Amino acid sequence: MANIAFIGLGNMGGPMAANLVKAGHKVVGFDLVDASREAAKAAGASIAATAVDAVKGADVVVTMLPAGKHVLSVWKEIVPVVAKNTLLIDCSTIDVESARHAHDHATEHNLPSVDAPVSGGTGGAKGATLTFMCGGEDFAFSLAKPILENMGKKIVHCGKGGAGQAAKICNNMILGISMIGVCEAFALGEKLGLSHQALFDVASTSSGQCWSLTTYCPVPGPVPTSPANNDYKPGFAAALMLKDLRLSQDAAKTSGAATPLGAHAESIYDAFEKAGHGGADFSGIIHHLRQIAGK
Ligand code: NAD
């Protein structure tokens, strides 16, 4: 069993750290927020006073932080002080450039590192059923895999440093675009007098079939477990979808890829957030489409 430092004990990091404790690892956690530290303590982790204190004696350090600037600032503090051969894993969703900088920083200190963003949300974090998309050298990935298996059910090695973040934002760009497409079809069907169930029955077994329709249907009824049946409570908040679409558009600009639908999806979610709906599930974008109809 490993000595693991876990930095960033929020909605995702808290339950992920708890699963490492459950698997028998010795976990030392740190977060800026009292309530997150207390929850991690209640779940069996020890709590350190600073990130630097948390990583003392660690074999593995996991970070689960809001954005690239937080990851780079924490890694800047800890990389020079961790023990030789300590494995660094960043599970946050961040921009590909920052992920590559973080890897470079680790490599300069001869430390193995993996970017390992997740999909599966807070339910997956609690149930240890997350999917991890990993970037890093083969050796670093081979060290990270058994640790990540305590927190997830699918661990994919996508390539070198930053490849995990690249896979994450490409996937979520598909998701953002496809959710808007499904919502547009339901909004058009309503105008044409088509019942939600009839459209679902046809599209879910035809070429319009996709995850946004069959697992996460944005209207109440056809898929009882979708957030539409729970007043569009997340689920996956629209603000997080917007964050990921922004990351995909930053990466498209930097790399010179053409992603016009990704750009349009970003602007639609941006308008939804500005109207005060960032906390709603991202499938609630159907309300925005109904609202702008005819404007
Ligand atoms: P969160 O805001 O609940 O947690 C982030 C935590 O990091 C907070 O508790 C904050 O206090 C802590 N933090 C910030 N700066 C810190 C520092 N310098 N030192 C120590 N702690 C610090 O966010 P979350 O929902 O847990 O998401 C974490 C990451 O996972 C994000 O990058 C997010 O995009 C990604 N993600 C979230 C979900 C989701 O459904 N919530 C799903 C997939 C991926």
Side-chain angles (χ1 to χ4, degrees):
M1 288 298 125
N3 292 315
I4 302 179
F6 205 113
I7 299 166
L9 302 163
N11 292 325
M12 295 293 290
M16 289 165 70
N19 282 326
L20 291 173
V21 172
K22 267 188 219 154
H25 299 291
K26 189 172 168 292
V27 178
V28 180
F30 175 68
D31 194 290
L32 298 175
V33 173
D34 278 349
S36 303
R37 291 198 296 266
E38 288 308 315
K41 200 170 164 187
S46 312
I47 299 301
T50 64
V52 165
D53 283 348
V55 304
K56 281 181 191 151
D59 309 306
V60 180
V61 178
V62 183
T63 46
M64 190 50 162
L65 298 163
K69 64 180 180 192
H70 306 100
V71 174
L72 288 176
S73 115
V74 167
W75 279 41
K76 203 170 161 197
E77 275 184 67
I78 61 171
V79 162
V81 300
V82 293
K84 215 175 146 201
N85 299 330
T86 299
L87 169 68
L88 304 176
I89 306 175
D90 178 46
C91 294
S92 328
T93 302
I94 66 171
D95 57 290
V96 176
E97 289 276 292
S98 296
R100 288 182 181 151
H101 283 313
H103 277 281
D104 290 346
H105 192 40
T107 306
E108 280 158 22
H109 289 76
N110 290 320
L111 297 168
S113 59
V114 172
D115 57 294
V118 305
S119 97
T122 50
K126 285 187 191 115
T129 57
L130 293 168
T131 294
F132 287 89
M133 295 149 252
C134 304
E137 300 299 328
D138 290 347
F139 174 66
F141 177 72
S142 72
L143 297 176
K145 192 165 182 269
I147 301 293
L148 299 177
E149 278 167 348
N150 299 137
M151 300 181 281
K153 67 173 169 37
K154 187 157 191 202
I155 325 290
V156 185
H157 191 192
C158 301
K160 292 198 187 300
Q165 298 294 350
K168 166 84 187 176
I169 58 171
C170 288
N171 177 73
N172 279 21
M173 187 177 74
I174 298 172
L175 179 62
I177 294 169
S178 69
M179 179 54 82
I180 293 170
V182 170
C183 289
E184 287 188 1
F186 276 106
L188 175 60
E190 287 166 3
K191 293 282 187 197
L192 299 176
L194 191 60
S195 77
H196 290 160
Q197 192 65 48
L199 176 56
F200 180 85
D201 288 346
V202 171
S204 64
T205 52
S206 303
S207 44
Q209 190 275 335
C210 65
W211 189 92
S212 293
L213 176 68
T214 54
T215 304
Y216 225 75
C217 187
V219 293
V223 178
T225 51
S226 78
N229 297 283
N230 189 25
D231 202 20
Y232 296 90
K233 292 193 179 76
F236 185 53
L240 287 175
M241 173 49 80
L242 179 59
K243 173 192 169 183
D244 293 354
L245 287 168
R246 283 184 178 143
L247 289 175
S248 74
Q249 291 317 291
D250 290 346
K253 280 185 202 110
T254 317
S255 63
T259 57
L261 286 183
H264 202 168
E266 181 198 354
S267 71
I268 292 172
Y269 275 103
D270 185 60
F272 192 53
E273 190 190 50
K274 285 198 173 107
H277 304 300
D281 186 75
F282 81 113
S283 61
I285 201 75
I286 191 164
H287 298 310
H288 176 75
L289 296 172
R290 289 184 186 124
Q291 211 197 350
I292 61 173
K295 275 189 183 167

